[in-house]
Amino acid sequence: MDAKMAIGADRARSLEIFATVVDAGSFSAAGRLLDLTPSAVSRTIDRVETRLGVRLLLRSTRTLTLTAEGQAYLLAARRILSDLDDAEQEIADQGAPRGRLRVSAALSHGRLCIVPLLGAFARRYPHILVDIALTDALVDVAGGQADVAVRFGRLADSMLTARKIGETGRVIVASPDYLARYGTPRTPEDLHGHNCLNFNFRRAEPTWPFRRDGQDFSLSVQGNIEANNGETLGQLAANGVGVTRVGAFSVAAELASGTLIPLLEAFNPGDVELIHAVFVGGTNIPARVRVFVDFLVESLR
């Protein structure tokens, strides 16, 4: 290490010692935290004061008091130490992404599509701690409630960055048992005679969209159960409770096994719901956020 580097390292250490002394309230307490003797801490503060030509701390037998110059030096010390931490974390992230990654995903999509991917992600990035919360509540990513959130549909205008990670269509389904008991609807209007299970997101009368001869239209439907996620509605339909219209991803396994039967496909309007990963963008996106979003794009598209 050359002389300039040694001086720089010594000054950074002095800043750390000074800030610790102020936070701990005494030389001896700071020494315990830093694994230094009280005399070594005192000598460091003396050298800083001699170099600056000012008193930073007023010492008594029981207390330490910051002078005006000490207060200014403390603010600068904390800013510089914070910048050093940020720089080291950025460099460390570039080498091997690490740290806690807070992810928010919707209940059904998270359980069925995101959670199954986490094992592979963890093996690829073992130094990232994934903290995932499954909720249909809209978390405030810009406010720091999550690092990445998976969102469906139209995105509200915001300062967040969004990357498309997939899309899903909608499908109307019922179980073979239900259809055997109540008949198979052949046209959208036939649904008026069926128990249509719907989402509870809107208070208005529920409608389902259709397309006939190139013309789009909506049809009011009624049922005796509502739920806040497609997985629950799909489960109810598979149990023979009624007919439902949900995202295809939430009933993919049931459709493959024949537990649920798709209905009225000739009248499907082809509406597609886009799925995005949203996060705080800018020039300093943490590597753990960047690699996770890249992984979702790679795995789900």
Side-chain angles (χ1 to χ4, degrees):
M1 181 183 297
D2 62 27
K4 288 185 178 180
M5 291 179 63
I7 292 172
D10 181 66
R11 286 188 174 180
R13 181 60 169 168
S14 297
L15 292 172
E16 181 185 18
I17 292 171
F18 177 74
T20 305
V21 166
V22 175
D23 292 337
S26 71
F27 291 168
S28 57
R32 286 191 295 272
L33 292 172
L34 298 169
D35 196 24
L36 295 172
T37 64
S39 60
V41 173
S42 179
R43 286 195 300 272
T44 298
I45 302 302
D46 288 342
R47 285 197 301 270
V48 173
E49 290 180 329
T50 299
R51 184 174 72 246
L52 297 177
V54 297
R55 293 294 298 274
L56 301 176
L57 293 168
L58 298 178
R59 305 158 173 86
S60 70
T61 55
R62 293 187 177 182
T63 62
L64 294 175
T65 304
L66 280 171
T67 64
E69 292 81 4
Q71 184 66 46
Y73 190 72
L74 178 63
L75 292 175
R78 286 179 171 161
R79 184 182 67 250
I80 293 168
L81 291 171
S82 177
D83 289 345
L84 283 173
D85 286 342
D86 290 344
E88 289 180 353
Q89 184 62 58
E90 183 177 350
I91 292 170
D93 282 349
Q94 291 174 357
R98 63 184 66 243
R100 181 180 293 270
L101 176 72
R102 296 164 303 154
V103 179
S104 174
L107 285 169
S108 293
H109 188 260
R111 195 187 76 81
L112 296 172
C113 301
I114 304 297
V115 171
L117 301 175
L118 294 184
F121 181 79
R123 288 189 292 273
R124 185 181 298 184
Y125 300 103
H127 300 296
I128 296 177
L129 191 163
V130 179
D131 178 351
I132 186 167
L134 302 184
T135 174
D136 288 323
L138 199 63
V139 302
D140 185 1
V141 178
Q145 292 182 349
D147 299 308
V148 181
V150 178
R151 298 268 171 86
F152 279 70
R154 184 183 299 275
L155 297 174
D157 291 338
S158 73
M159 299 300 291
L160 299 177
T161 297
R163 285 189 64 190
K164 179 183 172 184
I165 61 174
E167 59 184 42
T168 184
R170 297 271 180 171
V171 60
I172 297 175
V173 295
S175 71
D177 174 66
Y178 175 90
L179 297 175
R181 285 184 287 123
Y182 298 103
T184 300
R186 304 297 179 185
T187 69
E189 289 77 11
D190 291 341
L191 291 173
H192 288 148
H194 288 271
N195 189 27
C196 295
L197 315 174
N198 210 23
F199 289 95
N200 59 10
F201 298 141
R202 296 181 299 273
R203 296 296 182 186
E205 182 181 8
T207 61
W208 290 356
F210 295 96
R211 180 175 297 159
R212 178 189 282 129
D213 299 327
Q215 298 296 315
D216 292 331
F217 66 100
S218 295
L219 186 76
S220 296
V221 295
Q222 292 184 339
N224 60 9
I225 298 182
E226 295 181 343
N228 68 349
N229 66 88
E231 188 178 6
T232 297
L233 293 174
Q235 182 178 353
L236 290 166
N239 290 339
V241 177
V243 181
T244 193
R245 183 177 188 270
V246 294
F249 75 86
S250 64
V251 291
E254 290 81 0
L255 289 172
S257 67
T259 306
L260 288 174
I261 305 298
L263 304 173
L264 302 173
E265 287 292 274
F267 301 93
N268 192 318
D271 53 330
V272 172
E273 198 168 29
L274 300 183
I275 309 171
H276 292 90
V278 299
F279 52 96
V280 176
T283 57
N284 294 314
I285 301 171
R288 59 187 177 276
V289 171
R290 186 179 63 254
V291 298
F292 183 71
V293 174
D294 288 345
F295 180 82
L296 291 182
V297 172
E298 169 192 329
S299 302
L300 295 175
R301 273 194 173 178

